[in-house]
């Protein structure tokens, strides 16, 4: 009876540990800085000198973006190893946050050398931060593996909340005031996130304090069902490795197309989309903008107040930093609305469209989760196929919408509806593929090999991100020689073909999974 009471008290905040929500907000500020910076990165580099930019070519800007977004998926392998061997998770997370703060600061200095230094520091800091904050979430639930899925779902909401707010505010400041303000704001909130985490670390107990006390994730997975570990033959395991390899191969194609969001799709939003609205269209956008600014912030603030009520005495400084952070966010958000609402017209920032991905994820994730839990839950390859096909159809919307743009045109005024539809379909594709991918890796490989296989999985994502920058950098070449529609058709045809191939090989893949569903 006493054990039941203790467990109940331990999971006292919305059915979970209060410590989980400290990590929720820590991750939220990191994603705020990451996606906030990415939202204006290409826009800044390609903007004219008169608009405060550097007038880089699209090719050069997208190539650098591809290098950056690919390397942030490579360095976590090294960062996880450093934490395991030397620092422990807590120190690695704090050090990573500090390095990223310095990176954002360097980028705000507005010189080419500090830009490269800043990008390098962001890559290194991300490598230290990303894998180890995730490991801490796992460590908090080491003794409660049945609660891990729910914990990671909440944590994933922190990821998307941070991305949403970061794009909303950094994008606005970058385009409305100056690019340096946008980059600087990302750095400020990364710094606040670092302090909030460090001052609140006592709430984590022994989780991640020392390398020798690190969480053994393999044990948590092996012991998931009454300490029974599945024994499989070498032939069965070989087949499962092949399935993981096949899925990882196709993941490259997904991210090579999906990550056009921060690159060619942002250029399309900036140069080829009708963003200046008048009359009823302007009024409707203002209402939408108010709702998607106030409602999510209100929900997150409610969670914040719940956290305060339970942890303020225990981690007072951490909560004070968090309160300052949220008061600042509310202040900037209200100022943003006060600047926009009185205007007769509404000009949508090009970076604004990037918030749609996070918004649609937060809205649709529960529906997809229910689908996967139902009797209609499809197999891994079918989910991947759906993800690829939805992604392709999304680009098909852009190809269709841009069909009227003349060959070689530098500007146009295509309806914003096409971008909204594209982001909706892309997000649905992401939900079919991205969250379930890591789940299937954990199911198909032995527990002691999970770390290595996750590393290889992230390597596939890194390759996809680099390809996204490489292929996207040819946007001007293809538009000049063919058309904008032809450019988007590349990302329409290839994902749909890949999706059809996945459907064809599904029976073989299901057989090679040997009962894993």
């Amino acid at each position: 009876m006493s054990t039941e009471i203790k467990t109940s008290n331990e999971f006292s905040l919305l059915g979970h540990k209060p410590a989980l929500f400290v990590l929720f907000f820590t991750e939220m500020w990191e994603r705020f800085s990451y996606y906030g910076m990415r939202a204006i990165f290409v826009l800044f580099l390609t903007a004219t000198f008169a608009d405060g930019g550097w007038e880089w070519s699209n090719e050069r800007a997208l190539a650098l973006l591809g290098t950056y977004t690919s390397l942030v998926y490579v360095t976590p392998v090294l960062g996880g190893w450093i934490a395991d061997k030397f620092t422990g998770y807590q120190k690695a997370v704090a050090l990573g946050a500090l390095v990223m703060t310095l990176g954002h600061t360097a980028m705000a200095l507005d010189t080419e050398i500090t830009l490269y230094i800043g990008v390098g520091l962001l890559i290194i800091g991300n490598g230290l931060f990303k894998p180890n904050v995730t490991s801490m979430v796992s460590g908090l639930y080491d003794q409660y593996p049945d609660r891990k899925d729910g914990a990671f779902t909440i944590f994933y909401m922190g990821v998307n909340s941070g991305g949403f707010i970061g794009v909303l505010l950094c994008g606005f400041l970058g385009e409305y005031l100056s690019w340096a303000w946008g980059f600087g704001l990302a750095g400020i909130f990364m710094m606040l996130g670092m302090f909030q985490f460090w001052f609140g670390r006592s709430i984590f107990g022994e989780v991640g304090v020392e390398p020798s006390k690190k969480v053994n994730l393999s044990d948590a997975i092996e012991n998931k069902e009454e300490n029974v570990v599945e024994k499989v033959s070498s032939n069965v395991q070989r087949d499962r490795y092949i399935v993981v390899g096949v899925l990882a191969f196709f993941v490259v194609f997904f991210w090579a197309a999906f990550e056009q969001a921060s690159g060619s799709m942002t250029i399309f939003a900036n140069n080829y989309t009708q963003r200046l609205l008048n009359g009823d269209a302007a009024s409707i956008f203002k209402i939408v903008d108010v709702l998607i600014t106030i409602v999510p912030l209100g929900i997150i603030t409610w969670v914040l107040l719940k956290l305060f009520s339970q942890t303020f005495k225990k981690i007072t400084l951490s909560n004070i930093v968090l309160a300052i952070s949220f008061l600042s966010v509310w202040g900037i958000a209200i100022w943003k609305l006060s600047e926009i609402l009185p205007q007769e017209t509404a000009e949508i920032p090009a970076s604004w469209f990037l918030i749609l991905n996070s918004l649609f994820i937060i809205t649709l994730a529960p529906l997809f989760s229910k689908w996967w839990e139902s009797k209609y839950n499809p197999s891994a390859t079918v989910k991947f196929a759906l993800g690829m096909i939805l992604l392709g159809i999304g680009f098909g919307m852009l190809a269709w919408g841009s069909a009227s743009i003349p060959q070689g045109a530098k500007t146009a005024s295509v309806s914003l509806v096409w971008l909204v539809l594209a982001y909706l379909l892309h997000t649905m594709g992401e939900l079919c593929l991205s969250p379930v991918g890591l789940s299937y890796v954990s199911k198909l490989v032995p527990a002691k090999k999970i770390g290595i296989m996750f590393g290889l999985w992230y390597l596939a994502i890194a390759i996809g991100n680099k390809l996204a920058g490489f292929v996207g950098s040819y946007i001007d070449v293809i538009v000049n020689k063919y058309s904008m529609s032809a450019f988007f058709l590349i990302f329409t045809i290839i994902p749909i073909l890949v999706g059809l191939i996945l459907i064809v090989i599904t029976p073989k893949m299901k057989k090679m999974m040997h009962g894993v569903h």
Side-chain angles (χ1 to χ4, degrees):
M1 180 68 178
S2 60
T3 304
E4 290 178 3
I5 294 173
K6 181 181 177 183
T7 302
S8 176
N9 291 336
E10 197 170 1
F11 298 97
S12 57
L13 183 53
L14 302 178
H16 283 276
K17 295 186 175 185
L20 172 67
F21 291 89
V22 175
L23 294 176
F24 170 99
F25 285 111
T26 302
E27 175 70 6
M28 191 182 81
W29 296 130
E30 188 275 330
R31 292 291 91 181
F32 177 105
S33 67
Y34 176 74
Y35 284 109
M37 185 279 285
R38 274 184 54 177
I40 59 175
F41 189 69
V42 171
L43 293 172
F44 158 66
L45 293 176
T46 57
T48 63
F49 292 126
D51 290 330
W54 288 1
E55 292 193 9
W56 279 23
S57 67
N58 290 333
E59 180 180 2
R60 186 182 179 189
L62 292 175
L64 180 58
L65 176 68
T67 299
Y68 166 59
T69 56
S70 63
L71 288 177
V72 295
Y73 283 101
V74 175
T75 51
V77 178
L78 180 60
W81 177 79
I82 290 172
D84 285 345
K85 295 293 183 182
F86 303 108
T87 65
Y89 298 140
Q90 290 189 20
K91 291 177 183 175
V93 169
L95 181 59
L98 174 60
V99 173
M100 284 188 285
T101 299
L102 296 174
H104 287 295
T105 303
M107 292 187 70
L109 296 177
D110 202 16
T111 69
E112 188 162 341
I113 185 66
T114 55
L115 172 73
Y116 289 119
I117 291 172
V119 169
L121 289 173
L122 290 174
I123 291 167
I124 294 168
N126 181 82
L128 288 165
F129 183 98
K130 193 65 179 173
N132 298 310
V133 73
T134 306
S135 295
M136 288 190 66
V137 175
S138 180
L140 289 174
Y141 290 78
D142 186 26
Q143 304 301 319
Y144 310 98
D146 57 315
R147 291 179 179 260
K148 276 189 179 181
D149 284 353
F152 275 103
T153 298
I154 290 174
F155 187 69
Y156 195 56
M157 289 298 100
V159 171
N160 287 286
S161 298
F164 174 84
I165 302 170
V167 173
L168 192 72
L169 300 187
C170 292
F172 176 74
L173 260 65
E175 295 191 64
Y176 192 79
L177 292 182
S178 75
W179 306 112
W181 272 100
F183 292 130
L185 188 69
I188 289 169
F189 280 100
M190 187 69 258
M191 179 183 68
L192 291 171
M194 173 185 68
F195 286 134
Q196 177 240 324
F197 171 80
W198 188 250
F199 292 144
R201 66 191 187 282
S202 62
I203 202 171
F204 305 124
E206 296 299 307
V207 175
V209 174
E210 299 291 342
S212 59
K213 298 178 183 179
K214 67 181 187 296
V215 177
N216 189 332
L217 181 57
S218 64
D219 287 346
I221 294 171
E222 286 183 358
N223 296 333
K224 62 184 176 182
E225 292 182 6
E226 300 178 359
N227 298 321
V228 175
V229 181
E230 180 189 13
K231 301 294 183 182
V232 298
S233 68
S234 58
N235 289 338
V236 169
Q237 191 55 63
R238 180 201 62 203
D239 286 351
R240 290 178 176 174
Y241 280 137
I242 291 172
V243 172
V244 172
V246 170
L247 294 178
F249 173 74
F250 287 117
V251 155
V252 172
F253 291 93
F254 180 86
W255 292 109
F258 184 87
E259 285 298 339
Q260 297 302 314
S262 298
S264 62
M265 287 175 66
T266 296
I267 291 171
F268 179 77
N270 192 47
N271 299 334
Y272 298 92
T273 301
Q274 174 59 36
R275 296 185 290 110
L276 184 61
L277 306 178
N278 299 288
D280 291 342
S283 300
I284 292 170
F285 172 75
K286 288 176 184 178
I287 294 170
V288 170
D289 199 35
V290 168
L291 289 175
I292 65 175
T293 299
I294 299 299
V295 173
L297 278 179
I299 294 170
I300 299 168
T301 302
W302 175 75
V303 175
L304 178 73
L305 293 174
K306 289 280 188 182
L307 180 65
F308 282 175
S309 68
Q310 296 200 15
T311 65
F312 198 84
K313 291 183 179 178
K314 186 172 184 179
I315 50 171
T316 305
L317 272 178
S318 176
N319 282 323
I320 289 173
V321 172
L322 196 52
I324 292 170
S325 303
F326 257 84
L327 287 173
S328 301
V329 165
W330 272 107
I332 297 169
I334 291 169
W335 172 71
K336 165 184 173 289
L337 294 176
S338 71
E339 290 289 312
I340 292 173
L341 293 179
Q343 299 176 11
E344 292 184 7
T345 60
E347 184 171 5
I348 306 172
S351 59
W352 182 88
F353 293 94
L354 288 166
I355 70 171
L356 296 174
N357 178 240
S358 295
L359 187 65
F360 288 143
I361 282 181
I362 294 168
T363 305
L364 298 174
L367 299 178
F368 278 79
S369 179
K370 289 292 185 183
W371 182 8
W372 305 152
E373 293 170 3
S374 73
K375 64 181 180 180
Y376 302 107
N377 181 24
S379 65
T381 47
V382 172
K383 289 175 184 172
F384 272 56
L386 285 172
M388 297 298 304
I389 291 170
L390 286 167
L391 179 69
I393 295 172
F395 279 108
M397 295 294 101
L398 292 177
W400 188 4
S402 60
S404 61
I405 299 176
Q407 178 182 345
K410 299 298 182 185
T411 59
S413 297
V414 173
S415 171
L416 60 85
V417 170
W418 301 109
L419 266 175
V420 174
L421 286 173
Y423 275 109
L424 173 62
L425 290 160
H426 289 183
T427 302
M428 292 169 66
E430 180 187 4
L431 288 169
C432 287
L433 185 143
S434 183
V436 300
L438 292 174
S439 174
Y440 278 104
V441 172
S442 67
K443 292 176 183 177
L444 290 166
V445 304
K448 294 184 184 299
K449 300 289 185 182
I450 280 179
I452 296 172
M453 296 308 293
F454 276 173
L456 292 174
W457 189 265
Y458 283 121
L459 180 60
I461 297 174
I463 294 169
N465 274 265
K466 183 58 182 174
L467 279 174
F470 175 76
V471 179
S473 68
Y474 282 90
I475 182 172
D476 289 339
V477 175
I478 295 171
V479 169
N480 289 332
K481 191 172 182 179
Y482 301 102
S483 67
M484 178 61 74
S485 186
F487 175 80
F488 286 127
L489 275 173
I490 295 171
F491 300 103
T492 302
I493 295 169
I494 294 176
I496 290 176
L497 283 177
V498 169
L500 293 175
I501 292 170
L502 280 163
I503 291 174
V504 170
I505 65 173
T506 289
K508 180 64 175 177
M509 290 294 100
K510 287 179 69 174
K511 184 177 180 181
M512 294 178 72
M513 291 169 74
H514 296 282
V516 172
H517 185 70

